[in-house]
């Protein structure tokens, strides 16, 4: 019999209607009952009871440490979580639970458990299927899909099939996986990271203002392949990127496009930025880039920039 640990953190799946709208109220025990699996021993911990809007990096660390502490006591883990920041938490756990050798599955719902037509039970059973499988790693189970933890993105605010896998194929549960290196809890994060979205007319001083405020990392959501305005623009971003480098602030250029990722070698405006030390976000969605850069910065000495997000 498989032994599963369910960690409840809140979200719509656990919510009840109040005079001020939905708010988490249900327990992990309610989730366990909904899974209704007779062939597994599911233990439950009520870790948090938060709308995922209120989840912060310290909560990612709390979840990761909890899983790491009891990793070998269970065959798999289910984390119930709000959908709005689920992709961020999934990415953070993906990188923090490095080489985890069993399934860590995050799920939630668009409508509360117990409400007519709710997707909650279906998603809980999907998560249970993944948690009992031979998959090794962190994934999101939602709307009939299994998505690697560093590839999930919420694409619809309300639809059941809300998530898509960005930049890599969905998880194939029929192909058991095994990590090639020992497990490591990699939970240090440097929160001095800002995500900035580029728009026509944006002033490059925005970058300098963040550097002056003490940010060690900036993820700039540029256009197309990750481009930012260069020498032909009214106001070039290149001098600000140069200042970022000399002041040991790591700049990652990614794209506002959902698919195909950022590749700075494609256009002159990207090549010039890369020459000034900007890293390309590649095919990682912004949620994964954010968690990864925080983690990379935590292991990079103060006064140095991150050399790679790999
Ligand atoms: N569907 C949901 O779970 C949305 C909710 N606001 C949350 O993220 O907690």
């Amino acid at each position: 019999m498989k032994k599963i640990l369910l960690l409840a953190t809140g979200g719509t799946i656990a919510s009840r209607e109040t005079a001020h709208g939905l708010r988490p109220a249900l327990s992990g025990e309610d989730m366990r009952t909904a899974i209704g699996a007779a062939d597994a021993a599911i233990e439950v911990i009520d870790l948090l009871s938060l709308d995922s809007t209120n989840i912060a990096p310290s909560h990612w660390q709390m979840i990761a440490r909890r899983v790491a502490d009891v990793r070998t006591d269970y065959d798999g883990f289910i984390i119930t979580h709000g959908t709005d920041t689920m992709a961020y938490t999934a990415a953070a756990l993906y990188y923090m639970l490095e080489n985890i050798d069993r399934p860590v599955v995050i799920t939630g719902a668009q409508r509360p458990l117990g409400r007519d037509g709710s997707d909650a039970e279906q998603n809980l059973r999907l998560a249970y299927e993944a948690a009992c499988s031979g998959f090794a790693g962190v994934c999101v189970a939602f709307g009939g899909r299994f998505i690697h933890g560093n590839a999930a993105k919420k694409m619809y605010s309300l639809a059941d099939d809300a998530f898509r896998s960005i930049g890599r194929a969905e998880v194939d549960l029929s192909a058991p996986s095994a990590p090639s290196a020992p497990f490591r809890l990699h939970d240090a994060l440097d929160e001095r990271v800002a995500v900035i979205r580029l728009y026509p007319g944006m002033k490059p001083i925005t970058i300098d203002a963040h550097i002056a405020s003490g940010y060690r990392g900036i993820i700039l959501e540029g256009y197309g392949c990750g481009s930012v305005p260069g020498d032909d623009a009214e106001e070039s971003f290149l001098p600000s990127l140069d200042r970022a480098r000399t002041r040991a602030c790591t700049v990652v250029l990614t794209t506002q496009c959902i698919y195909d990722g950022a590749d700075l070698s494609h256009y002159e405006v990207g090549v010039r930025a890369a020459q000034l030390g900007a890293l390309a976000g590649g095919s990682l969605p912004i949620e994964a880039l954010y968690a990864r850069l925080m983690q990379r910065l935590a292991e990079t000495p103060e006064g140095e920039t991150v050399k790679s997000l790999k």
Side-chain angles (χ1 to χ4, degrees):
M1 185 187 283
K2 295 272 187 185
K3 207 171 153 202
I4 306 295
L5 180 64
L6 187 152
L7 300 163
T9 72
T12 296
I13 192 167
S15 287
R16 280 286 170 259
E17 198 67 64
T18 73
H20 306 287
L22 292 171
R23 91 169 262 125
L26 302 180
S27 67
E29 185 57 43
D30 297 309
M31 310 290 137
R32 171 167 61 184
T33 308
I35 295 173
D39 58 339
I42 304 177
E43 291 174 23
V44 167
I45 295 177
D46 286 302
L47 202 54
L48 298 164
S49 185
L50 291 175
D51 186 301
S52 76
T53 311
N54 298 322
I55 294 274
S58 60
H59 298 117
W60 305 340
Q61 290 169 316
M62 178 198 283
I63 299 168
R65 288 169 188 154
R66 209 59 189 254
V67 171
D69 278 353
V70 294
R71 179 180 60 95
T72 53
D73 297 343
Y74 298 92
D75 298 302
F77 296 85
I78 298 173
I79 298 159
T80 56
H81 193 289
T83 59
D84 289 342
T85 65
M86 183 183 287
Y88 290 92
T89 300
L93 295 179
Y94 178 95
Y95 292 117
M96 288 180 181
L97 299 171
E98 196 174 285
N99 297 314
I100 186 127
D101 56 357
R102 57 205 73 205
V104 177
V105 188
I106 307 170
T107 197
Q110 293 284 46
R111 289 177 305 286
L113 179 67
R115 186 186 276 188
D116 276 354
S118 171
D119 52 334
E121 283 191 17
Q122 203 177 304
N123 286 340
L124 283 166
R125 292 208 188 97
L126 195 74
Y128 173 68
E129 178 189 339
C132 293
S133 74
F135 172 69
V138 176
C139 74
V140 167
F142 204 96
R145 300 173 192 275
F146 302 110
I147 301 173
H148 288 283
N150 71 339
K153 183 178 271 299
K154 187 175 181 186
M155 305 287 280
Y156 296 88
S157 53
L158 292 172
D160 285 7
D161 185 12
F163 288 85
R164 289 292 180 279
S165 184
I166 307 300
R168 63 187 292 190
E170 290 181 12
V171 174
D172 178 2
L173 289 188
S174 67
S177 46
S180 51
F183 171 73
R184 183 163 76 115
L185 174 64
H186 194 147
D187 60 345
L189 297 172
D190 188 325
E191 295 193 31
R192 290 171 289 174
V193 173
V195 177
I196 304 173
R197 186 177 176 93
L198 184 66
Y199 49 87
M202 178 176 154
K203 306 295 177 217
I205 195 172
T206 311
I207 303 297
D208 296 282
H210 279 81
I211 301 167
S213 301
Y215 284 91
R216 288 186 74 204
I218 294 173
I219 302 172
L220 188 52
E221 285 189 279
Y223 308 128
C225 292
S227 308
V228 295
D231 292 337
D232 296 338
E234 274 180 18
E235 286 195 73
S236 171
F237 275 62
L238 298 177
S240 295
L241 297 187
D242 198 25
R243 282 191 288 276
R245 180 176 53 172
T246 56
R247 289 173 199 170
C249 177
T250 303
V251 176
V252 176
L253 293 182
T254 185
T255 173
Q256 295 172 25
C257 299
I258 304 293
Y259 294 105
D260 290 346
D263 174 0
L264 299 181
S265 67
H266 224 67
Y267 294 100
E268 190 192 334
V269 279
V271 170
R272 295 294 311 282
Q275 284 167 348
L276 293 172
L279 299 175
S283 57
L284 290 177
I286 191 75
E287 296 85 346
L289 283 174
Y290 179 56
R292 187 57 161 170
L293 183 56
M294 286 167 103
Q295 190 186 54
R296 277 282 179 248
L297 279 169
E299 65 189 20
T300 302
E302 210 68 44
E304 290 182 24
T305 54
V306 172
K307 301 296 178 293
S308 160
L309 295 171
K310 289 259 158 46

